[in-house]
Amino acid sequence: MIALTVGTSPAFADLEKPPKPPQNGPCLDGMKPRQMELAELKLFIANHESSHGLAGDPHVYLDSEGIPTVGIGFNLNRGDAAAQLAGVGADYNAVRAGRTDLTRLQITRLFKQDVARAIVDARALVPGLD
């Protein structure tokens, strides 16, 4: 648990106590933690990574950080982007330049691979995650 002391800092001047966490977030049932189903996790991520949700954005766009992105939050600056796109049959240079859009199947495959990789990484970092 992290303790927060509200003092004279301007950032906390209007707060009497720390804000409460959301009541019914994706992992909360009231205030009790709950297990997310994989489909729910994918929908939650997709809705936060793409204005098109699970459909993704087939055309390259700049994300909120100005990073060229495609699909469901697929960062085109990442080191393995060209290999990952080639793995789903897409031409990295054409996609990045905006000359070619991804298909729905390509978007879905990239997203599923990233979610699977993130779950493996999370399990390695957090024993008993499941």
Side-chain angles (χ1 to χ4, degrees), residues 1-9 11-21:
M1 176 181 247
I2 298 174
L4 175 64
T5 304
V6 178
T8 58
S9 168
F12 298 108
D14 60 339
L15 296 178
E16 292 180 19
K17 55 186 169 183
K20 292 181 181 179

Side-chain angles (χ1 to χ4, degrees), residues 31-84:
M31 289 303 291
K32 293 183 249 174
R34 68 176 178 81
Q35 185 173 354
M36 281 181 89
E37 298 295 326
L38 183 56
E40 185 182 9
L41 174 65
K42 287 179 180 178
L43 183 60
F44 177 78
I45 293 168
N47 286 336
H48 285 81
E49 289 292 333
S50 169
S51 60
H52 302 284
L54 285 170
D57 194 328
H59 194 76
V60 65
Y61 63 94
L62 296 179
D63 73 2
S64 61
E65 300 290 322
I67 298 169
T69 306
V70 71
I72 304 171
F74 187 85
N75 178 338
L76 291 169
N77 285 347
R78 64 191 248 187
D80 66 344
Q84 291 297 319

